[in-house]
Amino acid sequence: MRISATVVFLSCIGLLAGCANPRFLVADQSTSAEVRARLGTPTDTRVDRNGDQLWDYATGPEGLETHRVRIGADGKVKAVTQLLAEDQLAKVVLGTTTKSGVNELLGPPSDEATYRTGLTWSWRFLRGGVSPGYMVVTFNPAGTAETKIVIVDPSGDAPMD
């Protein structure tokens, strides 16, 4: 009896975790109400130049994912983007991209510190979807990105979700 109760409990946890997964959202079909029901309250919201709503769901500060859900004027999901990915970091243009631009591309940083080299933001992520690591952007005094690097976490420890 004890084993079956444990199995039921773990199954319920698995189902709840699955409900919070943005991968179940379907572009041009899922609605903003479904997004709220599945993912809850976004960690950040704003409206872009085109009038689309941008809802960010960050799992930080130690989380490895930040998803942005783009919702059109019709209330339907247009796209779901994983922000903490190397292809997003590649869009940061050194000497040009501002702090707000980096925030737009990668979401809010997991950590912020100031070193001799300048203000530094970092994000934990899964490199290639497998290896835990950090994306790091340092800003110059003018407030634009000066350096960007990826550091592989030598411990290899990814937090358990």
Side-chain angles (χ1 to χ4, degrees), residues 7-30:
V7 170
V8 169
F9 176 73
L10 292 174
S11 296
C12 288
I13 288 175
L15 286 172
L16 289 173
C19 290
N21 190 334
R23 291 176 188 94
F24 290 106
L25 300 174
V26 179
D28 298 321
Q29 291 181 18
S30 298

Side-chain angles (χ1 to χ4, degrees), residues 141-155:
T144 60
E146 186 167 283
T147 62
K148 60 180 179 178
I149 59 171
V150 171
I151 302 170
V152 175
D153 185 344
S155 74

Side-chain angles (χ1 to χ4, degrees), residues 60-74:
E62 289 298 315
L64 302 168
E65 296 182 337
T66 295
H67 289 91
R68 174 164 297 143
V69 180
R70 177 178 293 274
I71 300 171
D74 61 357

Side-chain angles (χ1 to χ4, degrees), residues 91-106 119 121 123 137-140 142-146:
K91 296 175 185 176
V92 174
V93 178
L94 300 181
T96 303
T97 307
T98 63
K99 288 186 270 188
S100 65
V102 171
N103 193 351
E104 181 69 24
L105 289 168
L106 301 173
L119 175 65
W121 288 357
W123 299 259
V137 176
T138 301
F139 298 93
N140 61 30
T144 60
E146 186 167 283

Side-chain angles (χ1 to χ4, degrees), residues 109-131:
S110 301
D111 188 48
E112 182 176 318
T114 302
Y115 302 105
R116 283 186 294 150
T117 55
L119 175 65
T120 302
W121 288 357
S122 64
W123 299 259
R124 284 187 50 82
F125 81 116
L126 285 177
R127 187 172 191 197
V130 179
S131 303

